Amino acid sequence: MENSEKTVEKVIILGSGPAGLSAAIYAARAELHPLLFTGTDVGGQAATTSVIENYPGFPEGVGGNQLADLFTKNAEKFGARFEYDMVTAVDLSRRPFKLTTYGKEYFTQSLIITTGASPNKLNIAGEKELTGRGVSYCATCDGWFFKDKKVAVVGGGDSALEEGIFLTRYASSVTIIHRRNELRAGVLLQKRAKENPKISFILDTVVEAIEGKDAVSGLELKNIKNGESNTLAVDGVFIFVGHSPNTDLFRGVLDLDEKGYIRIDERMRTNIAGVFAAGEVADSRYRQVVTSAGMGAAAAIEVTRFLESGE
Ligand SMILES: Cc1cc2nc3c(=O)[nH]c(=O)nc-3n(C[C@H](O)[C@H](O)[C@H](O)COP(=O)(O)OP(=O)(O)OC[C@H]3O[C@@H](n4cnc5c(N)ncnc54)[C@H](O)[C@@H]3O)c2cc1C
């Protein structure tokens, strides 16, 4: 391993979603010259969605990718630095903290963790084998491949309905499959989806397997009320069944809650002084761009105070 000269950063930020990028803007404006590791998903989850209609200041909505670009430019303008790399190990046992990427070690006086969350899998037959061949977790990324084709969406929350509506731009039909009798999505979204002539719903139903040899050809469904099974012919399936926090790096290192989210106090502080967390990695409740961005900003303000205090 290349052993870099031991430069000690004032603050390192892990993650380039709304929380990380907002933290970078605030830390850069506080002249902390932050170094941000983007991870593999540049722009975070927000960048994978077609349009965001509830981030203040964009009455016509804004593309997820476009918003991430604007956040990035804003942070760069004030001097934030970006590494397009992934942190693979952390040593938070003493300060400066040590972070390791695939080829290098970095040291920092403080750390803001904004590693967000990743989509949950169904863990059923065919899912892994057919990922990228009809199984997808991102409608914006893959919707285009399903022009005039039949697709299914699994899930009943906001993401499932938003992405289902987006898929009607391309697909000839979108069947939304949900295991409960009622959808969890907001009322306005439900209304829009129900009014869309391309969308239909199959409720009280789970997907038991995804069929197909080289590409998805259908889904094996089971009605959980009457136990009946049947097959739905589709060319693609988009899965939106919640998220899990990206906290594997911090297991046994930081206090996590029972679902694996980082425990923080109202000042974004973890149980280790100098280590802060913000956004979805520490928030299973609100999970929005605006709330994640707000937490990122708060974490950077707290880092500034922490460094000034000389604690
Ligand atoms: C399909 C979809 C549609 C959505 N629509 C909306 C919407 O309309 N409005 C809204 O407000 N919210 C929406 N959301 C939710 C919103 O995107 C999230 O709340 C927000 O992105 C969370 O931001 P975050 O910065 O906390 O984490 P994330 O966006 O999850 O970003 C995490 C970042 O951490 C990085 N990372 C992970 N591990 C490492 C590591 N080891 N080293 C370095 N970096 C790492 C990743 O690469 C990524 O950049 C949507 C989400 C999805 C999936």
Side-chain angles (χ1 to χ4, degrees):
M1 164 145 331
E2 181 188 331
N3 205 343
S4 54
E5 276 175 45
K6 197 168 168 176
T7 306
V8 179
E9 302 290 343
K10 288 185 179 145
V11 58
I12 285 183
I13 299 165
L14 294 192
S16 57
L21 292 171
S22 300
I25 294 169
Y26 274 72
R29 289 195 77 238
E31 302 194 329
L32 299 180
H33 208 38
L35 177 63
L36 181 149
F37 287 90
T38 62
T40 48
D41 302 324
V42 180
Q45 295 170 66
T48 68
T49 191
S50 53
V51 63
I52 294 175
E53 293 185 320
N54 49 11
Y55 191 75
F58 297 92
E60 308 302 325
V62 58
N65 227 331
Q66 194 192 346
L67 188 61
D69 273 355
L70 290 169
F71 277 30
T72 305
K73 285 200 182 99
N74 208 159
E76 275 172 343
K77 179 180 162 193
F78 294 113
R81 294 162 298 143
F82 289 77
E83 283 285 348
Y84 293 84
D85 209 344
M86 186 90 184
V87 169
T88 54
V90 293
D91 179 357
L92 307 182
S93 60
R94 66 183 73 85
R95 289 219 307 269
F97 305 124
K98 184 169 88 176
L99 309 182
T100 310
T101 63
Y102 286 111
K104 220 167 159 182
E105 288 175 347
Y106 294 82
F107 297 89
T108 183
Q109 292 170 27
S110 69
L111 178 66
I112 302 179
I113 301 165
T114 66
T115 48
S118 295
N120 288 341
K121 311 277 185 287
L122 291 173
N123 294 319
I124 53 172
E127 183 179 20
K128 198 167 168 202
E129 300 82 336
L130 293 166
T131 292
R133 289 187 283 159
V135 175
S136 172
Y137 304 87
C138 177
T140 329
C141 320
D142 300 327
W144 188 85
F145 297 112
F146 296 91
K147 222 166 189 313
D148 300 323
K149 304 216 160 148
K150 291 184 194 162
V151 301
V153 166
V154 185
D158 285 347
S159 293
L161 265 63
E162 266 169 31
E163 302 307 302
I165 293 167
F166 173 74
L167 285 167
T168 61
R169 291 186 193 193
Y170 307 104
S172 57
S173 70
V174 176
T175 307
I176 296 181
I177 301 164
H178 184 44
R179 65 193 160 125
R180 298 195 201 288
N181 182 256
E182 282 179 10
L183 302 166
R184 271 189 303 109
V187 183
L188 185 64
L189 265 179
Q190 289 201 33
K191 186 167 177 284
R192 266 199 236 159
K194 284 174 183 163
E195 283 170 1
N196 191 311
K198 283 192 180 176
I199 295 183
S200 59
F201 294 88
I202 301 181
L203 300 178
D204 288 324
T205 297
V206 291
V207 182
E208 292 211 301
I210 301 172
E211 296 173 345
K213 201 160 172 275
D214 300 317
V216 170
S217 60
L219 304 177
E220 274 177 37
L221 305 181
K222 185 173 178 188
N223 183 303
I224 51 171
K225 285 251 164 87
N226 60 22
E228 275 175 23
S229 296
N230 68 313
T231 305
L232 178 74
V234 287
D235 306 293
V237 55
F238 289 79
I239 298 165
F240 301 107
V241 291
H243 286 77
S244 298
N246 297 321
T247 48
D248 286 353
L249 276 180
F250 310 108
R251 262 173 221 289
V253 176
L254 290 175
D255 271 359
L256 306 181
D257 72 11
E258 57 292 342
K259 289 193 234 151
Y261 288 83
I262 298 176
R263 282 190 207 276
I264 51 169
D265 66 9
E266 72 287 355
R267 292 171 59 186
M268 313 296 134
R269 297 181 295 194
T270 68
N271 61 308
I272 296 183
V275 180
F276 299 76
E280 275 198 26
V281 74
D283 163 34
S284 60
R285 185 181 286 268
Y286 301 112
R287 303 189 347 207
Q288 294 296 297
V289 174
V290 69
T291 49
S292 302
M295 290 173 80
I301 292 170
E302 291 298 341
V303 159
T304 313
R305 289 181 184 156
F306 170 80
L307 293 173
E308 277 169 4
S309 74
E311 214 182 291

